[in-house]
């Protein structure tokens, strides 16, 4: 059994569903007060991750949005973001994904010094499934990158409800190097006269 949390402006609803299903009609619905935000809820408190490959598990339950924070990741509206900070160990292509997350996790990679002055890093992105997304980034050695993971926002079921429904819960961030930029001298050129 796994638990998913839906946040609205008025309440947080936790659904308990069978493993392997995202939402089932027979899931139990429990209304509760919002939990405290996670330690990396704010950009300034991004958890540092390092190296490659790597993986970290966290939880978006209780996460919020900061004023000036991007509300669109990969073209999808999100809420309840958490932040990670990663320094590229060397130049090359890297892949970030949310495989292993139990909710539809939006993913974004940024550079900048404050949440309201971030630049989204160009990526080649796609969704792996209903709960996983993937980004491919051409990273530069020793550059700092900020990774945001947020819950995907859905329209409410009732036309009378103006709040977006956001699915939050346990997420997993994975990263690995996929290729690199060759260094000078790595080509084995030879000169021969024919």
């Amino acid at each position: 059994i796994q638990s998913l949390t839906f946040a609205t402006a008025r309440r947080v609803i936790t659904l308990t569903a069978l493993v392997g299903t995202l939402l089932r009609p027979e899931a139990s619905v429990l209304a509760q007060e919002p939990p405290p935000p996670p330690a990396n809820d704010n950009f300034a408190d991004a958890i540092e991750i390092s190296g490659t490959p790597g993986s970290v598990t966290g939880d978006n339950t209780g996460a919020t949005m900061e004023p000036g924070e991007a509300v669109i990741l990969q073209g999808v509206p999100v809420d309840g973001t958490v932040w990670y900070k990663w320094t590229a160990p060397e130049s090359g292509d890297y892949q970030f994904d949310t495989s292993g997350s139990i909710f539809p996790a939006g993913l974004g990679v940024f550079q900048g010094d404050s949440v309201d002055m971030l630049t989204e890093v160009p990526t080649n992105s796609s969704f792996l499934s209903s709960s996983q997304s993937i980004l491919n980034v051409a990273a530069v050695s020793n550059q700092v990158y900020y990774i945001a993971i947020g819950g995907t926002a859905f329209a409410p079921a009732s036309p009378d409800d103006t709040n977006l429904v956001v699915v939050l819960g346990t997420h997993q961030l994975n990263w690995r190097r996929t290729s690199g930029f060759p260094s000078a001298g790595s080509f084995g050129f030879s000169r021969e006269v024919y």
Side-chain angles (χ1 to χ4, degrees):
I1 294 183
Q2 294 187 6
S3 180
L4 300 174
T5 300
F6 289 77
T8 71
R10 288 179 275 193
R11 65 193 178 282
V12 174
I13 300 172
T14 300
L15 295 181
T16 304
L18 298 174
V19 174
T21 62
L22 183 57
L23 299 175
R24 296 180 56 104
E26 64 270 15
S28 62
V29 179
L30 307 169
Q32 63 187 33
E33 290 299 313
N40 58 338
D41 181 37
N42 292 329
F43 172 82
D45 300 320
I47 292 176
E48 192 155 345
I49 56 177
S50 62
T52 187
S55 181
V56 64
T57 301
D59 200 312
N60 289 54
T61 306
T64 62
M65 297 294 286
E66 295 177 77
E69 185 174 350
V71 294
I72 304 290
L73 300 178
Q74 292 182 263
V76 177
V78 296
D79 199 347
T81 57
V82 293
W83 291 90
Y84 294 92
K85 178 181 177 181
W86 177 75
T87 302
E90 56 189 344
S91 295
D93 294 335
Y94 293 85
Q95 183 179 88
F96 295 86
D97 70 64
T98 59
S99 177
S101 298
I102 68 165
F103 67 97
L107 183 62
V109 178
F110 299 87
Q111 286 190 294
D113 295 325
S114 65
V115 74
D116 58 346
M117 298 297 289
L118 294 175
T119 301
E120 190 165 5
V121 174
T123 62
N124 176 9
S125 62
S126 64
F127 281 95
L128 295 174
S129 72
S130 61
S131 64
Q132 302 166 7
S133 51
I134 183 171
L135 295 177
N136 293 300
V137 175
V140 177
S141 179
N142 295 316
Q143 293 287 311
V144 175
Y145 296 88
Y146 290 90
I147 298 100
I149 298 177
T152 305
F154 297 94
S158 167
D160 298 328
D161 191 347
T162 59
N163 295 306
L164 290 177
V165 175
V166 180
V167 183
L168 303 171
T170 303
H171 65 263
Q172 184 168 326
L173 174 63
N174 310 293
W175 63 98
R176 66 183 179 90
R177 185 165 181 186
T178 55
S179 69
F181 302 122
S183 60
S186 63
F187 298 100
F189 293 119
S190 63
R191 182 174 178 176
E192 294 184 20
V193 178
Y194 294 96

